[in-house]
Amino acid sequence: MPAVTQVFIAGLSLLITCSLVPAIYADDAQAEKVKDNFFTDEVFPILKSRCLSCHSHEAGKAGGGLVLDSRNGWLKGGGSGQAVVPGKPDDSLLIQAVLFDGLQMPPGKRLPKKEIEILRQWVTIGAPDPRQDMSPKADPKTLWALQPIKNYAPPRVRNKMWPLDDLDRFVLAKMEQAKIEPNDPADRYTLLRRVTFDLTGLPPTPEEIQAFVNDTADDAFAKVVDRLLDSEGFGDHWARHWLDLSCYADLADISGNMLIRDAWRYRDYVIASLNADKHFDQFILEQLAGDLLPYQSNTQRREQVIATGYLAIGPWILSNYIKKQLDADVVDHQIDRIGKTFLGQTISCARCHDHKFDPIPTRDYYALAGIFHSTLTTSYDGPGVWSQISHHELPQATITTEEKQSIETQLADLRSKHESHSAKLTDLLLQLPGATNANVLTTKDAVEANVRDVNYSVSFDAAPSVWAAEIQATNTIDGLRIDFIRPDGTTLHSIIHKPGEWRRTENSQTFKPASYTYTGDGSGPVTIRISVSSPANDRFGGAIDNLSITAGDKEVLNESFNFVTTNAITSKQAHTNLSVFAKTTLQGWIGMGVNHSHAVEHEPGNLALQLFGGTQTNLAAAKPASDEERGLHKKAIEIQFKLDAINKRIESLEASQSPEYALAVSDVPTPTDSPIYIRGEFDSLGDRVPRGFLSAVSTTHSRAIEASDSGRLQLAHWLVDPANPLTSRVLANRIWQKLFGTGIVSTVDYFGVHGDTPTHPKLLDYLARRFSVDNRWSLKATIRQLVLSRTYQTASSHNAVSSIIDPDNRLYWRMPRRRLSAESIRDAILAISGQLDSARGGSPLGLELPGNIRGLGGNVNPPTWGNQIADYIANRRTIYMPLKRERPTGELEILTVFDFPHPSEITGLRPQTTVATQALFLLNSPFVKHQSVMLAQRLQKDYSEDEQKRIIQLYQLTTGRPATAMELNEAKTFLDACSADFEKSAGNTNRARIMAWEQLCHGMLASNRFLFYE
Amino acid sequence: MKKHYPCGNSRREFVWEMGAGFAGLALTSLLGQDHFFDRVSAAAPTNALSPRDGHFPVKAKSVIFLMMNGAPSQVDTFDYKPELRKFAGMPLPADKEYINSGNRKVGFLTPEFRPFKPGGESGLMISDYFPGIRKHADKLAIINSCHADSHAHGSALVGMNTGSTFIGRPSLGSWTVYGLGTENQSLPGYVVMMDKRGGPISGEPNYSSGFMPSTFQGTLFRPVGNPILDLKGPAYVNAKSQRKQLDLLAKLNEKHLNARPGGTELAARIQSYELAFRMQAEAPEAVDLSMETQATLDAYGVDGGITDEFGRNCLIARRLVERGVRFIQLYSGGGHLADTWDAHVSIENNHGQHAAEIDQPIDALLTDLDERGLLDSTLIIWGGEFGRMPFSEGKNAPGRNHNPYGFSMWLAGAGVKGGQRYGATDDFGFEAVEDRAHVHDIHATVLHLMGLDHERLTYFHQGREESLTDVHGRVIKEVLA
């Protein structure tokens, strides 16, 4: 939106110039629009605040028979006749009435003079009133956006040399009509910087600059465009445009920080799809209904399921305790997103009543709502208030049988090593009191369960964990260990029970029975010891209940774990809200470990024993008292390290095998139509509306939604139906806007009655057709044509004549000068300083960092993210940064400062502000300062001997062109003056020069030369 | 013409907001020495934050919103319920429906933990938790009939701040500065000061500008040192070297602009640097309490004790009001549970502590503003995101659970008719029954007091005229002076 300042100036002087409007605007449509704006801005507020409460359909009043809520209303007039005679204020009853000349309106309260003057002026200029089309509602037959797309031939132009592409003829024809000359072509430096930022969000490198300016071939620019379209940077940049529209974030819920793990797969899917130039109709089908599409391979299936993250990820208030409200809000947002993104329609307005202006009845809203209510997006399985975003296990990417076997062999080997090391460690820990956090419980008295040759059966109930928080659930290595110890301290038998990995598929509180056997050897009663199988892990090994040992029919032990020695409930568990008795003892047992006898009331009155692993920290902090203990301690630490290494290998091997999940939607088991929610309230239901689409939008044929279908697939097909005029127009306009700054329809998300009308309606149709028909929805082909046009390649320079005729550049006589987007500023600074990390993809959350998963104990909320950005993520492109569901802060403050959209908003067009905090950021932030130092170092390293070359390079990097002789001199003068100053404080000439260089680099990064591209 | 309808009924204004920049400022900067700005300013756009008239003239110029994060109990603070004593130990009647937030234990009706006493000439009954505020009873319009849409802290707080429990909408402060701009261009127009124990659990959405440009976003102010992020560079950059760098920057930008006639966007950005320099000087001064007298510091309780933090914030709020900041929000309580007013465990322990932290500072703030003649132009709002239950959490338990069905807030200062109670809860203090005041009604009233019509203060966003109160809201005329 580069021309805004001029728009505003034009607006300020509107009253003075409006009578001149026809002369300075290029065509009548433009003039009409300005007049309509005058009505909307100046006149309508007066009517609304002063008149409509007694003279409108909405108020239900027509005082004196007059309504003023439409052009027809005042034309028809009331009992006294026509209320307004366009062009004739003195003959208009309305004017007479506000002047208290005869009639007195508003009754008893004269309007301020200024308002009367506005009304007079309005009538004088012909009483423009765009509301004629909106009362009561636009007719689909007349709303431009709903008309079929026509196949217009490119118009004839006088300057036949100018057009490079047919689209230029549409643009030029308008300019010729308005007697405007387009600007000359931009120079090569400018053009390369423009296209590189537009296509990849990054600046051109000095090598790319030199290559292009020296390439004399006719297709030099086309080669550049192809190179950029083929680069991965294209997807990194254009995917962000799409994510702006799809409310993407890596975390969830209202706190902005609730942990969800798999959102990034959708982000990576978008990037990969755009880089692969997946045709947009397919792209849309996958995102709306990928789970319903046929597939040839697991890889394709994965991709299609992940794609539905488009619907699954959003600003859901998962903690909303009224789940019907949550569902209704989710559905509303999905409808809103699809309406705005693809159709340019505010369908959500019809949630409570028929759309006020656009032809969208409430029934249409609920026809769509039925589709999304039949789609599972969030689910609630309690307890607590939190819902979950629906997620689906992904089919494994295909691996060969040999690979699979090899992994399994390795795992078996590692697991057996793990077991023996764990046993050793547990033994050592028992001899080192205070060295462990681990729960270890031993029976006070030995149990008569060791008669020679008697077979004992050990049975118990085990659960993976009664904690729902994932980190505290067990994985495959974790489990319970039960040792049967002879009077002499040796072990008769050990049971290692691993409940198996708990992922989101299994209820962590479900106890399952398990049984084992052993045979007695007659060496005397055994002491029973319960511990975790993996004492090195900082996790729960699981929960155990109802331990019983029998010999034939005879029960020798029956432990319910229900009796604790103190009754103090020390806390409530996260999520489950179950009572926990920690730091107590169980009757009949001796415990050790900081939290020993961690008993949990998993059912009212029924406790279970929960086992927690030890920690490395504790072992490291232990202070062995004697030489013997020191020896044991050393040994324990050695084993601990070995175990740690084994664990890591097991985890990474398992990760390659373990199920992966995506946030994704699916159909509910029984799809149903939605009733109308009267006034939008879910507890006030009206008729059911069959699932379907917008009634005002054409399709080639109707697509029946079977009872068993949600209708998402049909909806997706309908969006890309060749007869639907909206999707291709809206998307073509979006692509155009990203490249040319302003849309042909400037309200890119809204093509309704109150939206802007196209400045070039024929061009828009031409582009929409070309995109959807000729290019078969190929984004890259479409972008290629647009940037190879003459229009795209013009200079951005000012032209005194053109800017008087068309100050807003709505005829595209120049390319706009644009500020870099938030992420381009960050990415470009990193690229220039040489610090940009080219690594791409994967989870941005760095969950392996200690403390990066928070809120696991003591409160009722699910885990949150700990805000640490891992080193391996920190210098990547912005799209790979973790996004909370709020405006970015901390290390990513730069995004908020430079107008990055709120992740909960559907944003087709970002605002572009100029505020002091941006200046403060560029001047003072640690980020810019640090990168300036890095940039100075980079230049020093590359051209250590030649300061002149360094300056040239600095200019190339930051502005896209080498420094001129004058700029060279200026920079040198600055460096000399600056280092002379610094020499006093730095006391060292070299250091002073380096500091001066850092200042110069910082200055360039904060300057308009860097910040704008043109 | 613009002045009369500052609030965007138009596409054009929508477009304007997107590019709004700073300009029209006094050209006092160091960079102005060569009259550089004189040359560019004529072409620069009008500032989105420049002060402008509301829909109708009012006395109020500034708002201080004292946000009691965690939800204070109404029957223990400003909703005097002598009837509740009769019912002590009895359950809430079964026909009273409510959601038991968090499945907490449900106990029995419990009267106030500290006695109420009349204050001022009006004799408004105010609890002993607030003896200081009680002195100002005649200034307060207590609204006893508030009700809200959520019983969960996070979403209710977002609701209290933005009118919707759904995140992503502009907050009350954003709407206010959007409607009125702000008087002092060297300071943010909308300042938020958190409790140092933490922010509200629902975070940024509470002071977000939502779909409006971030120009209208609340700026977090830190009470000591440099109140705004990035206000000062790293320590090793001294003033002189920054001066050099700024001169360089000015030269770079000026040459760049000179080669680009008509580059108003470039000129606006150059001017934003000028403002940044001024902010560097003025913002630290605004939080610098060293110029305040010892008597003032004592009055606010800035003494290193329990009142120190909130007292400091209240005093800074007064200084910000003096400097023309439009909207200031101070949080009492931050983070979770006991660090907020969330008195599940014990009203006496929790409210005893939090009330002691804020009572003297608020007393001092009201007195100080009054003495300086600023209370006539400053609107004070006090309240939490909802209230608390009149019954205990369990038998003989001294805490209370969440209650969005009825709670109290109060207004004071510019345009407010003090010394009155408006609306009422039932005999139990459980739900608002008389003259019910929804959050939307509070918002409509606050906007009205600021000279803004909540139905006309709209922002054109993606085809819809959005407003703070959506299609709801009613100005509570009874509290207007």
Side-chain angles (χ1 to χ4, degrees), chain A residues 887-902:
Chain A
R887 285 195 207 271
T889 53
E891 287 123 302
L892 297 175
E893 183 83 28
I894 184 172
L895 301 182
T896 296
V897 170
F898 288 100
D899 306 313
F900 190 79
H902 196 292

Side-chain angles (χ1 to χ4, degrees), chain A residues 256-277:
Chain A
N257 234 4
M258 176 182 164
L259 188 62
I260 48 173
R261 286 163 185 263
D262 300 303
W264 61 272
R265 291 185 202 278
Y266 171 72
R267 177 204 65 192
D268 285 0
Y269 158 83
V270 173
I271 297 168
S273 298
L274 296 188
N275 270 337
D277 198 23

Side-chain angles (χ1 to χ4, degrees), chain B residues 176-192:
Chain B
T176 308
V177 291
Y178 164 65
L180 300 172
T182 184
E183 304 289 334
N184 185 338
Q185 300 303 322
S186 306
L187 289 170
Y190 173 15
V191 166
V192 181

Side-chain angles (χ1 to χ4, degrees), chain A residues 5 8 15 37 41 46 118 321 340 346 749 798 887 906 912 918 924 970 981 1002 1006 1008-1009 1014, chain B residues 1 5 10 12 18 99 151 210 217 230-231 242 244-245 252-253 255 260-261 264 273 280 462:
Chain A
T5 53
F8 183 65
L15 274 184
N37 283 350
D41 298 349
I46 301 175
I118 291 172
Y321 53 97
K340 284 174 180 162
T346 51
D749 300 318
H798 183 70
R887 285 195 207 271
I906 303 158
Q912 223 179 70
Q918 294 165 353
N924 296 333
E970 278 167 7
D981 273 356
H1002 194 158
N1008 283 346
R1009 294 163 191 238
E1014 47 192 20
Chain B
M1 295 321 307
Y5 307 105
S10 68
R12 195 190 72 214
M18 309 203 61
I99 287 168
H151 72 167
Q217 178 102 348
D230 296 326
L231 196 62
Q242 189 175 49
K244 274 254 163 10
Q245 190 181 41
L252 286 170
N253 284 342
K255 289 225 162 101
R260 289 160 179 79
T264 50
Y273 276 91
Q280 288 188 337
Q462 294 176 335

